[in-house]
Amino acid sequence: MPPEKQLLHWSRRPAVQRPLRYARRLLAMTPREVAARIEPHLPRLRTAAAPAPAVDRRRLTGFPFGPERARSILAAWARARPEQATRVVSEARRLLEEVDIFGTPVRLDPQTVDWQAGLDLRGTWELHRQQYLFTLGRAHLVTGEPVFAARVGELFESWWAQNPRGHGVAWSSALEVGVRSISWLWTLPLLLGTLEERSLQRWLASLDEHYEYLRTHLSLYTDPTNHLIGEAAALWILSVALPDPPGAARTAARALAILNGQMQRQISPDGVGREQSTGYLRLVLDFVLQVIAISRRLGRAVPAPLLERTAAALDFLGTLAGAEGETPAIGDSDDARGVPLRELSGTNFRDLLSAGAAVLGRPEWSRGVPESAVWLAGPEAATGPLPDGRGSVPIVGTEPRASASGVAKPRSRVFAPGGYCFFTSEHDGHQMALLFDVGPLGLWPNASHGHADALSVQVQLDGRWVLGDPGTGGYASVGAVRDALRGTASHNTVTVDGLDQTDALEVFKWLNPVETRLLEAVCTDEYDYALAVHEGYRRLRHPVTHYRSVLRVRGGFVVDDRLEGDGRHHGALRFHFPPGTEVSLETARCVTAGGLRLCFSDDCRLETGLWSRRFGEWQEAPVAVVEREAELPLVWSTWLGPAEQPR
């Protein structure tokens, strides 16, 4: 046992908790869940598909957009954003040769493409999602060049020949089946005038197989997180898009009921994703906005709770994103998107917020008119007025002009049910925002995408997050990087005795969930204040409780930490800055980084940590550290504010 694990009370050590955790989970399983978990592992017979009947192309109008609508959307977008249309064509020309999968180039020659590609599982799934086909399809309509449409058909034929239903990695996750279905449903309307009859028959037959697979493989027990929302959304879209799929009406009703229930389970009333991940909250909203947009276009009702939680989530992200759309990284992110627009990635959420503004008729969220908004809301979005189901609402031009960008300045807010305090400060021309994590580890029982970051803070200065969360790095194939980046030492909070606040069980599981409580929160014109506590270190043989308060005062923030308990302990307080940030020690107790000044009550030092800007990649980044070993209580005070006055 590592020496630091010996500091834990014997009953809370992983060696004891791990078998207890599995035993409790096994005893809680119902017969239906046991059957659902066993079924995917049963051997399957490979059967030849029946010959498909001739396709009546006039009936293929129930896709997310029919062929004529797709052409009008793309034409309006190309007129409004010709420079972006040009970039799409350039990207499509590159895709004729290869696709970038998390930094690894993969050849897309239909004759030789390796659908296993020698990638890790997440990378292979990304290849099989085939979201790049939509880029090729758009380039075909923009340029009229047949090479792009031909390549789409050839890549599908290659995939179809090598990945029969139910066999191989392409069918190992229902979410992957759902994402691929959506990619195809967005791409096919762009090519209906060019696809050969045989290829179209195979494609529609494979979509039928995707539909049947999703009907019987929803992650109701194995992964009822963002996976289940994505699967249910894809199943609903397939049920209204395909010509007469079996049980379509019942399937659509069931999928919508699952979506409605899961949005209430996975999104707090104030809009925070209970997975404690902004990246996966965006993925969920990608799926749900498609369902809402298609429902509105088809005149179908959408459950009020689903609409309410969607609006609350967009409002939460809009508050954090500010005028520039840059959202703090919270928890895991693998850069996944539920819409097949491969150009969209990173932590800027402008496209999602604007798409939400378009679909729900809420102009205050808009950060412009991105392509995703036009595809979801229709060609009218490219020029302004957008239907919202109740009338026309301009997406741009009517927002409160409280800032240069046209987006209202954020105000301090407490998202108590979701577990975040968001405080803003403006002084001497500088705008600051601080995000205080006072929420749970993640969506239990696994907290799959949560990080051990209780009571951490992130700071935005003049539109840039200069004190942040170092990201994800990777999953199963990079275990050491994975554990390091989701561990407590990679977040802007306190570690005790070199331990994480909780113990990792597997790549997507935790033991001993951190209990965090918001004790007090006040927002006024004069000051903002929050006090919270977490008891992750109560599992030590000599238990420790961590209290942290944040106070917004004139020109900045004061963060106070207090460790209470028994005995002598080592405490370390860390603050992480993005790679390339110029960091300097002004004095033994004062650091400047990226225009931010941090002043501590103890001496500090600089060290190097890891930071991941993009899934699959990571690099070194600066970290400021204050540490002390002492008898408890141990107290620190930190001041954060702008380093310089405006010129």
Side-chain angles (χ1 to χ4, degrees):
M1 179 185 300
E4 65 271 14
K5 297 299 183 184
Q6 298 177 16
L7 300 172
L8 300 177
H9 188 276
W10 72 268
S11 66
R12 309 304 291 175
R13 291 175 182 171
V16 175
Q17 284 293 309
R18 183 176 289 107
L20 289 176
R21 161 72 179 277
Y22 286 129
R24 285 192 293 265
R25 185 68 186 91
L26 185 62
L27 291 172
M29 288 185 184
T30 64
R32 179 175 292 182
E33 178 179 354
V34 172
R37 287 177 173 273
I38 291 175
E39 193 277 336
H41 300 286
L42 296 176
R44 303 176 187 278
L45 295 176
R46 301 185 64 168
T47 57
V55 178
D56 183 352
R57 300 181 188 229
R58 294 171 298 178
R59 299 181 63 198
L60 304 180
T61 59
F63 284 22
F65 29 80
E68 294 306 317
R69 183 177 176 83
R71 291 189 185 93
S72 63
I73 287 172
L74 195 59
W77 175 248
R79 287 194 301 269
R81 298 289 188 274
E83 73 289 349
Q84 295 192 21
T86 299
R87 283 201 294 271
V88 166
V89 174
S90 297
E91 169 66 7
R93 295 196 190 284
R94 191 178 69 82
L95 287 172
L96 293 174
E97 300 297 327
E98 63 185 25
V99 61
D100 179 276
I101 304 291
F102 303 130
T104 299
V106 177
R107 297 280 299 175
L108 280 183
D109 182 345
Q111 304 301 318
T112 61
V113 60
D114 177 7
W115 290 104
Q116 311 313 314
L119 302 166
D120 64 9
L121 182 60
R122 178 62 187 88
T124 303
W125 279 347
E126 187 71 17
L127 181 66
H128 283 267
R129 289 181 176 186
Q130 297 196 336
Q131 293 182 321
Y132 44 83
L133 297 185
F134 187 59
T135 300
L136 291 166
R138 284 179 290 162
H140 167 67
L141 282 194
V142 169
T143 65
E145 297 179 22
V147 63
F148 298 114
R151 182 55 54 89
V152 171
E154 291 163 356
L155 286 170
F156 166 74
E157 291 287 341
S158 172
W159 183 92
W160 179 84
Q162 297 182 38
N163 295 277
R165 178 193 172 187
H167 297 271
V169 69
W171 300 90
S172 62
S173 165
L175 178 62
E176 303 310 309
V177 174
V179 174
R180 185 166 57 250
S181 301
I182 291 173
S183 299
W184 289 358
L185 290 173
W186 280 55
T187 303
L188 268 172
L190 311 182
L191 306 173
L192 284 180
T194 61
L195 282 176
E196 294 182 358
E197 186 71 15
R198 186 182 66 172
S199 182
L200 180 57
Q201 287 178 339
R202 285 179 175 173
W203 212 329
L204 292 174
S206 189
L207 278 169
D208 282 336
E209 292 180 339
H210 283 60
Y211 170 80
E212 288 296 336
Y213 187 94
L214 286 171
R215 286 212 303 172
T216 56
H217 288 78
L218 294 177
S219 300
L220 297 170
Y221 307 107
T222 53
D223 201 355
T225 56
N226 64 80
H227 280 231
L228 182 54
I229 287 179
E231 294 158 13
L235 181 59
W236 183 90
I237 295 171
L238 282 166
S239 71
V240 302
L242 296 177
D244 305 321
R250 291 193 307 274
T251 299
R254 176 186 178 225
L256 192 60
I258 291 172
L259 274 178
N260 188 41
Q262 288 300 315
M263 285 294 285
Q264 294 175 76
R265 173 178 170 265
Q266 297 189 36
I267 309 293
S268 67
D270 53 4
V272 178
R274 290 196 168 110
E275 288 196 86
Q276 303 296 304
S277 161
T278 47
Y280 284 102
L281 180 56
R282 175 169 64 177
L283 178 65
V284 162
L285 293 174
D286 274 351
F287 290 125
V288 174
L289 284 175
Q290 291 180 71
V291 172
I292 296 172
I294 296 170
S295 296
R296 291 273 174 88
R297 184 168 62 83
L298 299 178
R300 294 182 175 230
V302 180
L306 187 152
L307 289 172
E308 291 166 0
R309 293 300 166 96
T310 301
L314 287 163
D315 196 48
F316 168 68
L317 292 176
T319 298
L320 269 55
E324 302 303 319
E326 193 65 34
T327 307
I330 300 173
D332 281 348
S333 175
D334 64 356
D335 295 330
R337 298 304 304 265
V339 292
L341 294 163
R342 298 187 66 252
E343 306 87 85
L344 310 177
S345 63
T347 55
N348 193 294
F349 284 23
R350 299 176 74 175
D351 70 285
L352 174 71
L353 292 167
S354 296
V359 173
L360 297 181
R362 294 285 296 272
E364 67 271 24
W365 299 331
S366 175
R367 303 300 193 272
V369 189
E371 189 177 3
S372 57
V374 181
W375 283 105
L376 289 174
E380 302 85 2
T383 55
L386 297 172
D388 72 340
R390 297 163 297 182
S392 284
V393 176
I395 187 171
V396 292
T398 61
E399 305 95 291
R401 294 288 172 177
S403 68
S405 68
V407 178
K409 294 178 182 177
R411 66 185 191 280
S412 295
R413 295 178 62 181
V414 176
F415 299 88
Y420 291 96
C421 297
F422 181 78
F423 295 155
T424 62
S425 169
E426 185 171 3
H427 182 67
D428 286 343
H430 288 289
Q431 293 185 6
M432 291 185 66
L434 181 144
L435 183 66
F436 184 22
D437 184 343
V438 297
L441 178 63
L443 185 63
W444 209 242
N446 295 324
S448 307
H449 294 300
H451 288 185
D453 58 356
L455 308 191
S456 67
V457 296
Q458 299 191 52
V459 173
Q460 185 188 67
L461 177 62
D462 297 331
R464 294 185 305 111
W465 289 92
V466 296
L467 184 63
D469 182 319
T472 302
Y475 288 147
S477 63
V478 288
V481 172
R482 164 69 167 156
D483 287 340
L485 283 170
R486 66 173 170 163
T488 305
S490 287
H491 297 85
N492 306 314
T493 186
V494 174
T495 59
V496 175
D497 296 333
L499 294 166
D500 289 328
Q501 297 163 345
T502 185
D503 296 301
L505 174 60
E506 295 174 0
V507 175
F508 297 111
K509 291 184 176 70
W510 291 95
L511 288 171
N512 301 316
V514 182
E515 183 180 351
T516 308
R517 287 173 288 139
L518 177 62
L519 302 178
E520 187 175 356
V522 179
C523 294
T524 71
D525 291 339
E526 290 76 27
Y527 70 94
D528 300 322
Y529 176 76
L531 171 65
V533 59
H534 88 76
E535 298 184 337
Y537 293 113
R538 298 291 299 174
R539 71 192 198 281
L540 295 173
R541 282 187 293 146
H542 299 289
V544 178
T545 301
H546 178 201
Y547 293 86
R548 170 171 276 188
S549 67
V550 174
L551 174 66
R552 190 261 299 174
V553 294
R554 183 178 176 84
F557 299 93
V558 176
V559 177
D560 288 329
D561 292 289
R562 183 180 181 89
L563 300 179
E564 292 190 354
D566 299 323
R568 188 177 185 85
H569 294 272
H570 176 273
L573 169 65
R574 290 180 175 85
F575 293 98
H576 295 260
F577 309 99
T581 302
E582 186 174 337
V583 181
S584 62
L585 277 171
E586 290 188 348
T587 69
R589 297 189 175 185
C590 191
V591 169
T592 58
L596 183 70
R597 175 176 285 115
L598 298 87
C599 297
F600 306 102
S601 55
D602 274 9
D603 289 353
C604 69
R605 62 181 176 81
L606 299 179
E607 64 178 31
T608 299
L610 292 179
W611 191 289
S612 174
R613 295 187 186 274
R614 178 186 179 191
F615 188 80
E617 299 176 3
W618 53 90
Q619 59 192 117
E620 293 184 343
V623 186
V625 184
V626 175
E627 58 185 341
R628 191 197 322 167
E629 184 169 327
E631 296 287 333
L632 299 190
L634 193 159
V635 179
W636 286 304
S637 186
T638 306
W639 157 262
L640 303 101
E644 298 177 358
Q645 298 298 316
R647 295 178 181 177

